[in-house]
Amino acid sequence: MTSALSNIYGRLPVAFTHGQGVWLWDGEGKRYLDGLSGIGVSCLGHAHPGLVKAISDQAAKVIHTSNIYEVPLQEQLAQRIVAISGMTEVFFGNSGAEANEGAIKLARMFGSNKGIETPTIISMESSWHGRTIGTLAATGSDKARQGFGPLPAGFVQVRYNSIESIEKAAAQCPDVVAVLLEVLQGEGGIRPSDIEYLKALRKLCDERGWLMMIDEVQSGIGRTGKWLAHQWAEILPDVITLAKGLGGGVPIAAVGARGPAAGVLKPGHHGTTFGGGPLVCAASLAVLDAIEQQDLLKNAQAIGDHLQTRLHEALDAVDGVREIRGRGLMIGIELARPCAELVRSALTEGLLINVTRDNVVRLLPPLVLSREEADQIVDTLVPLIQQFLANKA
Ligand SMILES: *Cc1c(COP(=O)(O)O)cnc(C)c1O
């Protein structure tokens, strides 16, 4: 039978029927260690009892009402996000791209309020902010943009991790309103930015009156061992976006704002039918509860350090391994040549991983990963990488 699905994904030939913790099973009963969490989504692993209970209890009460009415769970979740982020207000959406669209709209309205008619948002080369028309304009990937022009004006990309590059772009463009970046690029190949760079960028945004907007869609919600990855640099951005891990598997996204970004969006400026509904907010509250109760920030940091240490020990001396980098449970292993085939060989061995930017093996395991499970990832992955590199291209 030919598939009725649009052919927009290159799918692996496996379907999972159920999961438990960091494990997934296919229809034949084969077990897989989930080293990817559905690209950083299933942060509590699979079938987490607290999350399952929150979703089923809420579904039995009410799933959807509307943003026409008050949604107490949305208010509660916003309070929690404010508490972990230092933002002062939050609005909800349904995906990472949609959250970034919201941030872009906020930045443009911020500019408009200052009388700027042609606002520019500075974003980064090799960044990833989503696949909508607006977020594609911010995303630094020619491959993702190809064929979808004309994209909206008002975006300029600069070299990642370079203040000089931002200053150069700003000199040619008087109407900058915001800088949008991931502090640890995900799709871009698990590329961290320097703490000093982030501190300098915070200062620059303050001096120039630009919004500092941080896309924490992949790096946020405990992934790096702090609630938000930028907290490693002890800075406070003006806008943050969250999605992926926020719902532990249900679609929910959030935009947080503070300081000059607070109060910019007013009734009638923005909205969404589904955003922040009772079901997804109940799920997200359960995710945040579990992260706190199970000490998962500490776990992500400790197990992430252990993973990186073991990967360094096993791979640093291997010819063809360029760099092992990342933070917490967001780890990339850059090889000297394209290695997409490793995804399939790992799958055969019962390990789920991903390769991004052609040659970076990406690990985003659930935050509940244990030391033994981390060892299993290393013990499966390292020989596969060694064999791959030993076979001449
Ligand atoms: C995945 C991702 C997005 C897009 O999120 P979607 O939910 O796929 O729209 C945006 N920014 C970053 C940093 C991401 O990793």
Side-chain angles (χ1 to χ4, degrees):
M1 201 171 53
T2 56
S3 173
L5 291 169
S6 296
N7 185 27
I8 61 173
Y9 298 105
R11 293 181 198 270
L12 293 164
V14 63
F16 304 108
T17 53
H18 61 286
Q20 186 60 243
V22 301
W23 299 96
L24 281 166
W25 281 265
D26 69 14
E28 267 91 63
K30 179 175 168 182
R31 189 173 81 146
Y32 301 80
L33 207 176
D34 188 353
L36 189 61
S37 313
I39 319 191
V41 169
S42 311
C43 57
L44 302 184
H46 305 280
H48 184 280
L51 179 57
V52 170
K53 184 171 187 321
I55 293 172
S56 32
D57 286 357
Q58 187 56 43
K61 289 181 195 157
V62 64
I63 293 175
H64 176 80
T65 54
S66 169
N67 286 313
I68 292 173
Y69 312 106
E70 289 184 6
V71 184
L73 286 166
Q74 198 181 107
E75 177 62 43
Q76 266 184 50
L77 181 58
Q79 296 283 0
R80 293 285 290 276
I81 292 175
V82 159
I84 63 178
S85 69
M87 300 293 114
T88 58
E89 60 173 61
V90 180
F91 63 88
F92 293 97
N94 309 284
S95 70
E98 196 190 323
N100 287 325
E101 283 284 337
I104 291 165
K105 284 180 71 179
L106 194 160
R108 287 185 165 197
M109 186 58 76
F110 170 76
S112 172
N113 290 346
K114 293 204 290 188
I116 295 174
E117 283 171 11
T118 53
T120 292
I121 294 172
I122 294 178
S123 66
M124 303 297 146
E125 289 169 5
S126 68
S127 64
W128 188 267
H129 301 295
R131 289 185 182 277
T132 60
I133 294 293
T135 56
L136 272 183
T139 289
S141 161
D142 291 341
K143 197 168 131 196
R145 297 154 66 127
Q146 178 62 34
F148 295 109
L151 295 175
F155 293 88
V156 21
Q157 266 110 37
V158 302
R159 199 145 46 82
Y160 185 51
N161 216 14
S162 161
I163 291 289
E164 194 194 325
S165 183
I166 292 177
E167 283 183 326
K168 233 188 227 164
Q172 280 157 20
C173 167
D175 289 340
V176 174
V177 292
V179 179
L180 170 65
L181 77 160
E182 301 151 271
V183 295
L184 176 47
Q185 289 187 335
E187 304 307 300
I190 312 293
R191 275 173 224 273
S193 49
D194 299 331
I195 302 264
E196 287 318 309
Y197 164 77
L198 293 171
K199 285 188 195 291
L201 180 55
R202 177 63 276 185
K203 207 164 143 255
L204 186 65
C205 287
D206 285 338
E207 285 165 9
R208 307 280 178 98
W210 304 337
L211 298 181
M212 184 181 196
M213 309 205 296
I214 299 195
D215 180 344
E216 291 270 5
V217 167
Q218 190 164 149
S219 57
I221 310 298
R223 176 59 45 200
T224 67
K226 294 226 186 255
W227 279 112
L228 303 161
H230 69 259
Q231 290 169 343
W232 287 104
E234 293 174 334
I235 52 158
L236 199 52
D238 303 305
V239 175
I240 59 162
T241 56
L242 300 169
K244 294 203 165 102
L246 181 60
V250 302
I252 181 169
V255 181
R258 61 164 285 279
V264 169
L265 291 179
K266 298 195 158 53
H269 282 161
H270 193 61
T272 147
T273 297
F274 289 125
L279 185 77
V280 292
C281 286
S284 185
L285 283 163
V287 169
L288 302 185
D289 283 344
I291 291 176
E292 276 171 9
Q293 286 158 13
Q294 294 176 237
D295 225 348
L296 295 182
L297 301 183
K298 218 161 109 201
N299 193 64
Q301 192 183 340
I303 304 300
D305 286 350
H306 174 67
L307 252 178
Q308 276 212 50
T309 303
R310 282 218 52 205
L311 288 168
H312 278 294
E313 282 166 8
L315 291 172
D316 276 354
V318 174
D319 207 28
V321 176
R322 271 204 195 137
E323 194 179 23
I324 297 163
R325 55 183 182 245
R327 197 151 220 168
L329 292 173
M330 185 167 179
I331 297 174
I333 306 161
E334 181 173 334
L335 304 185
R337 62 183 168 94
C339 59
E341 66 193 71
L342 276 172
V343 172
R344 277 174 189 263
S345 45
L347 186 71
T348 306
E349 298 301 318
L351 174 66
L352 307 181
I353 58 162
N354 170 250
V355 168
T356 187
R357 284 274 151 164
D358 299 330
N359 63 338
V360 182
V361 175
R362 174 167 52 168
L363 297 173
L364 300 168
L367 308 184
V368 297
L369 189 77
S370 71
R371 208 179 156 90
E372 294 69 37
E373 290 157 348
D375 286 334
Q376 287 183 58
I377 292 180
V378 176
D379 295 340
T380 306
L381 185 57
V382 163
L384 291 174
I385 291 177
Q386 285 168 334
Q387 280 158 32
F388 170 79
L389 290 170
N391 293 338
K392 274 228 111 2

